[in-house]
Amino acid sequence: MKLNKVLPYKLARVLPILGIAGASLFAGCNKEDEPTRDVEITFVVRDPWDIIQKNPDGTRQVSQLIKDYVAQPNVRTVYLVPVGSWIIYDCNGITGIRKNTLEYAINYSPKVRGRGDFDFPLGEASKVPVDSLWYVHNGWTINRYYQKQR
C-alpha cells in the first residue's frame, strides 16, 4: 500500500508514455538519405579499357571510371556487364580475361560485381573449372543461352 502512495500512476499508463518520449529522441533527425543506385559498365571483347588501364611502367590498375563510381556514396553496386560475342576465347583466353582484367576490378572494391553472360565456346569453360567457378561466384553466367535450350 505504501507503493501506491509513492507512485500514484498506474504502470500501464507510464510505460507507453516513456516509450513515446524515448522514440521521439531518435526520430528527431532530419537528415534526408540520398537514394542509392546501381551502375552498369559494359565492356566488349577487344576493348576492356572501361575496366582496366595500363600504366606506363606496364602495370595495370582499375580505370578512372570505376574509381569515380566507387567513390560516390549514393552508388550501391557497380556491375560489369559483358557485351557481344566471346566465342573467340579458348580456355587460355578465359583465364587471361580473369587474371588480366576482371580480377583487378573485382578486388578493387566490394561494390564491384559481375552481371550478364559470357558465351564462351562450348566446353572451353569446363577445361578451367577454377576460373569458371570464379566467374559464377562473382555474378556472371557462362553460356546461359545454351543451358536454356536443353
Side-chain angles (χ1 to χ4, degrees), residues 36-50:
T36 58
R37 62 189 176 109
D38 295 336
V39 177
E40 287 188 355
I41 298 175
T42 58
F43 61 99
V44 294
V45 175
R46 299 279 183 199
D47 189 20
W49 308 120
D50 289 335

Side-chain angles (χ1 to χ4, degrees), residues 83-100:
V83 177
S85 179
W86 296 81
I87 60 171
I88 62 171
Y89 287 100
D90 61 354
C91 59
N92 294 326
I94 293 170
T95 302
I97 295 169
R98 172 194 168 189
K99 289 184 177 179
N100 296 327

Side-chain angles (χ1 to χ4, degrees), residues 40-99:
E40 287 188 355
I41 298 175
T42 58
F43 61 99
V44 294
V45 175
R46 299 279 183 199
D47 189 20
W49 308 120
D50 289 335
I51 299 173
I52 203 79
Q53 64 187 32
K54 285 186 178 180
N55 296 328
D57 61 355
T59 60
R60 297 171 187 254
Q61 69 176 0
V62 176
S63 71
Q64 191 61 41
L65 180 64
I66 291 178
K67 288 179 183 179
D68 292 342
Y69 280 133
V70 167
Q72 294 178 14
N74 67 333
V75 173
R76 179 179 47 218
T77 308
V78 178
Y79 288 108
L80 304 178
V81 182
V83 177
S85 179
W86 296 81
I87 60 171
I88 62 171
Y89 287 100
D90 61 354
C91 59
N92 294 326
I94 293 170
T95 302
I97 295 169
R98 172 194 168 189
K99 289 184 177 179

